[in-house]
Amino acid sequence: MHRGVLRPGEWVRLVDSKGRKHNFALEAGKRFFSNRGHLDHDELIGREEGFTVTTSAGGEYLVFRPLLSEFVVSMPRGAAVVYPKDAAQIVALADIYPGARVVEAGVGSGALTCSLLRAVGPHGRVASFERREEFAEVARRNVDQFFSAPPGESHPAWTLTVGDLAEALPASGERCDRIILDMLAPWECLEAAADALVPGGIVCAYVATTTQLSRFVETVRVHGGFTEPQAWESLVRDWHVEGLAVRPGHKMIGHTAFLVTARRMAPGARPPRRTRRPAPGAYGVDYHGPRPADVVSTDA
């Protein structure tokens, strides 16, 4: 990432007095146009970020380099992006650390990939798997754009494979510390993830619906080689603060996805048997999902 004066090829973010935002790459001799007038890129190049610029029509813009959290919500999309609030939870609660070997599937539009590469640092490794070539291409462009990779090159800690993780990961012989599963049916990749994870490693699934959440959690339990899975979601609400007028904001980032984490046991080891009884009816006649061996059918 860059600091210091703005350079040609870097992306900048312009914000007007109403909060409207524009992101673009700086090019010498080029001009930016908006409904508030135009300005030349040369007026921005060579200056330290954090200044105000005035357009030909008198419009004012704040000029900064975009933060990662700002970049990912405005990047071109092939698939839906992992929002910053969830990416932050994944980095923190899946314990992504400098030097970690991380496997990610699928790559989507590359939003989470950028956070993972930031977290593992120059000595770590992120191996991304994506089934769809068109999504992989969008992600490749977004990640290269954010990290200002030279043409034809990508981040040195990143590899992107087009293929199904359930097949491609075992074939690669990859051993990893963390696996992030962002896909419709992450339970289909659990066996491959279990084989690739080192003991103590973490699997983290990002799923959108309660049915996906239930299926993945119960599949982890049935596998028997992981600790008890932990599931949660996060909600973010802004606040209006103006003198004595302090109240919740009118906008909120509510449900985006559920997150589930579990840790890999050592080969042949099993977690302690759960002693808490399931809720009445939890595994009753209407339940048709995976069922741990020590759980019998229950009825309300």
Side-chain angles (χ1 to χ4, degrees):
M1 302 307 298
H2 296 299
R3 59 171 61 94
V5 300
L6 298 173
R7 306 171 181 86
E10 283 194 281
W11 281 71
V12 292
R13 183 179 181 88
L14 271 57
V15 184
D16 68 14
S17 58
K18 293 187 176 181
R20 290 175 295 204
K21 307 166 185 69
H22 303 273
N23 300 305
F24 57 87
L26 291 174
E27 296 183 36
K30 198 168 183 180
R31 180 169 285 180
F32 164 76
F33 294 90
S34 75
N35 62 352
R36 300 174 65 84
H38 69 262
L39 58 88
D40 294 324
H41 289 206
D42 292 338
E43 295 181 47
L44 313 181
I45 295 171
R47 299 181 63 179
E48 293 272 3
E49 63 179 313
F51 60 91
T52 301
V53 66
T54 304
T55 68
S56 60
E60 288 190 325
Y61 286 97
L62 281 172
V63 182
F64 284 93
R65 291 182 176 94
L67 303 175
L68 174 56
S69 59
E70 296 169 338
F71 174 79
V72 298
V73 296
S74 61
M75 64 165 55
R77 301 184 185 186
V81 301
V82 175
Y83 274 80
K85 73 179 184 70
D86 295 317
Q89 295 266 306
I90 290 170
V91 168
L93 296 178
D95 195 36
I96 312 296
Y97 57 88
R101 301 165 297 174
V102 181
V103 167
E104 172 198 25
V107 72
S109 296
L112 179 60
T113 309
C114 292
S115 293
L116 296 176
L117 287 168
R118 272 263 188 97
V120 302
H123 304 297
R125 186 171 73 249
V126 176
S128 301
F129 294 81
E130 173 57 54
R131 291 177 176 176
R132 299 179 61 172
E133 175 67 45
E134 63 270 29
F135 288 174
E137 186 56 35
V138 171
R140 185 180 289 108
R141 288 198 301 267
N142 285 333
V143 174
D144 291 349
Q145 174 183 312
F146 182 73
F147 288 105
S148 301
E153 299 182 23
S154 289
H155 193 293
W158 185 42
T159 59
L160 175 58
T161 301
V162 177
D164 188 338
L165 178 136
E167 300 173 357
L169 183 57
S172 71
E174 185 90 24
R175 296 285 286 170
C176 57
D177 306 297
R178 306 289 186 263
I179 291 185
I180 315 299
L181 301 176
D182 173 15
M183 56 181 63
L184 290 174
W187 50 87
E188 294 177 355
C189 296
L190 190 63
E191 283 294 341
D195 291 342
L197 275 172
V198 299
I202 297 175
V203 62
C204 176
Y206 176 93
V207 293
T209 69
T210 53
T211 52
Q212 290 172 302
L213 172 65
S214 174
R215 179 73 176 272
F216 182 74
V217 167
E218 297 299 345
T219 302
V220 171
R221 286 179 176 145
V222 168
H223 183 277
F226 291 89
T227 58
E228 175 67 9
Q230 301 297 312
W232 76 96
E233 68 173 332
S234 63
L235 312 175
V236 176
R237 182 174 68 180
D238 65 330
W239 277 72
H240 172 89
V241 181
E242 193 174 54
L244 295 177
V246 181
R247 55 171 173 73
H250 295 306
K251 294 186 294 185
M252 178 177 181
I253 304 175
H255 173 75
T256 50
F258 300 104
L259 292 168
V260 184
T261 56
R263 298 196 73 177
R264 184 71 170 103
M265 302 291 293
R270 291 291 181 267
R273 182 176 179 178
R274 291 191 300 156
T275 56
R276 181 179 59 84
R277 296 181 60 188
Y283 296 94
V285 294
D286 294 326
Y287 176 76
H288 303 292
R291 188 189 305 274
D294 59 345
V295 173
V296 298
S297 178
T298 60
D299 296 295

